[in-house]
Amino acid sequence: MLLLGIETSCDDTATAVVRDGVRVLSNVSTNQDEFHAKYGGIVPEIASRRHAALLSAAVDDALTRAGMALGDVDGIAVTAGPGLIGSLVVGVATAKALAFATGLRLYAVNHLHGHLFAAFLECHEPPAYPFLALLVSGGHSQLVEVRSPTALRVIGKTRDDAAGEAYDKTARLLGLPFPGGPALEALAREGDPKAIAFPRHRPDPGTLDMSFSGLKTSVRYFLESAAGKSARPEDVAASFQAAVVDVLIDRVTRALDADRDRTPDETGYRAVVLSGGVAANTALQTAFRAVGASRNIATFVPERRFCTDNAAMIAAAAERRGEANRVDPRTLVANPNLPFA
Ligand code: KG4
Ligand code: ZN
């Protein structure tokens, strides 16, 4: 199928045209960082107003760059949740109107499913099922067992902050500009990851859950201490990043080791996928690929432009999930708390 994707769940106004959930013919994204930066975080009202101002032109832009008109696509895929309600409503209302006016098929996509299927974009030998996915974004951190496009099961999750949220909050403590993740990663590149031994929290040894709020608090206490006042910010950033990567990689390793004890037809992961905005982090990507190599399992990481929020991944998820996501344009409503499965 040829799908137009629309993603407005948070602060990126994103549109794309994707063929067969793999080939990205256009991928347009306008980030709103300059409007939110002075507040140190995303202001929902500003985000929805920017989407309202930008989305129609972004739809035209994606179609033009793909060299086609709306009538050439087979359907429209839109993020229906989870996310900020005002932001979601702009994308959902636009997609409904376009589908209703043209008679095109409409697919309602869970934003997190989009992140999962980002790994298929521009990938000519995609991950084989069943696979394990580590999904790490600004709002979510979870391990997912993916048996088929529609058989998804969360097997571990954060008990408090998401990994991206921990990056953003720690970046703020370090006085870095918003958005914090990329800025903190750049600073960490100049520092010593072993300089400060920040804690690695694993809430309960019997589960695959994770926790990041204690780490952020440790960084805060450290920065307020005498040692913290004389520490190099580069070392604090590198040591914080090492703790996040250790916790995430430990969870993946544990899930793969638990899987080894099962018979191939019980699970037998055939690939492991990294996704979400934090997947853009080079230190995490390197450690993730190393785990795959040591366990002899194929690793998949989307291209950077498909790690952070984008609309191509929404089209990819709709393509894979097909009829499971098909909706009537008259009845679709945005759901800020859309359940994962
Ligand atoms: O997936 P995403 O674009 O939006 C959500 O669905 O939340 O993820 C955004 C998150 C933010 O917390 C951002 O700081 C983080 O991903 N992020 C990074 C990097 N790039 C984005 N975190 C660490 N290193 C990066 N290079
Ligand atoms: Zn996202």
Side-chain angles (χ1 to χ4, degrees):
M1 280 196 294
L2 195 56
L3 292 180
L4 168 70
I6 297 178
E7 152 64 40
T8 63
S9 67
C10 193
D11 64 330
D12 293 292
T13 311
T15 51
V17 176
V18 180
R19 189 186 296 284
D20 301 332
V22 176
R23 180 91 187 83
V24 181
L25 304 186
S26 63
N27 187 43
V28 174
S29 183
T30 310
N31 90 30
Q32 310 176 352
D33 291 350
E34 62 178 302
F35 299 97
H36 301 281
K38 67 176 168 191
Y39 304 101
I42 293 155
V43 182
E45 179 65 16
I46 294 176
S48 50
R49 286 179 186 223
R50 292 305 304 160
H51 289 312
L54 295 168
L55 186 56
S56 289
V59 167
D60 289 344
D61 199 10
L63 290 166
T64 304
R65 283 169 195 247
M68 55 191 62
L70 189 57
D72 297 326
V73 302
D74 300 306
I76 300 169
V78 64
T79 305
L84 301 171
I85 183 65
S87 289
L88 290 166
V89 160
V90 177
V92 165
T94 302
K96 285 171 67 165
L98 292 174
F100 194 67
T102 56
L104 285 170
R105 286 176 243 169
L106 182 62
Y107 298 88
V109 176
N110 183 304
H111 178 79
L112 300 172
H113 297 175
H115 279 304
L116 280 185
F117 292 101
F120 290 71
L121 292 168
E122 296 295 349
C123 180
H124 299 292
E125 267 187 64
Y129 299 97
F131 61 82
L132 174 71
L134 174 64
L135 199 167
V136 274
S137 71
H140 294 82
S141 289
Q142 55 195 38
L143 275 169
V144 187
E145 183 174 291
V146 184
R147 292 187 151 278
S148 78
T150 51
L152 313 174
R153 190 165 71 92
V154 176
I155 59 172
K157 59 183 183 324
T158 182
R159 296 272 176 95
D160 38 59
D161 291 352
E165 189 180 357
Y167 264 93
D168 294 335
K169 289 178 174 170
T170 303
R172 205 169 171 167
L173 292 174
L174 288 167
L176 296 172
F178 173 83
L184 197 155
E185 177 176 25
L187 187 66
R189 230 172 270 135
E190 311 300 321
D192 174 7
K194 294 204 170 70
I196 306 137
F198 288 126
R200 275 79 168 145
H201 290 290
R202 285 152 201 136
D204 175 354
T207 75
L208 291 167
D209 287 352
M210 50 202 118
S211 159
F212 295 102
S213 76
L215 170 60
K216 168 205 66 197
T217 307
S218 299
V219 176
R220 198 178 82 221
Y221 287 151
F222 176 78
L223 289 172
E224 287 166 359
S225 72
K229 292 205 166 72
S230 60
R232 294 172 66 230
E234 294 85 342
D235 290 343
V236 178
S239 301
F240 161 81
Q241 177 162 278
V244 173
V245 171
D246 273 2
V247 170
L248 293 174
I249 294 301
D250 173 83
R251 302 290 83 182
V252 171
T253 310
R254 202 183 155 86
L256 291 177
D257 287 348
D259 183 55
R260 251 200 325 223
D261 300 334
R262 299 195 256 190
T263 60
D265 46 301
E266 259 183 326
T267 309
Y269 295 130
R270 295 174 65 197
V272 51
V273 168
L274 180 62
S275 66
V278 184
N281 186 279
T282 305
L284 179 59
Q285 290 189 4
T286 306
F288 180 78
R289 291 205 168 94
V291 175
S294 74
R295 298 287 188 290
N296 205 17
I297 184 162
T299 52
F300 291 83
V301 182
E303 281 177 36
R304 255 193 188 74
R305 61 190 174 129
F306 304 136
C307 286
T308 47
D309 290 349
N310 65 87
M313 71 183 194
I314 301 305
E319 176 80 36
R320 302 284 145 199
R321 294 172 53 87
E323 286 306 304
N325 285 35
R326 180 94 185 263
V327 287
D328 181 331
R330 290 166 302 183
T331 56
L332 176 61
V333 281
N335 181 354
N337 303 312
L338 190 65
F340 182 75

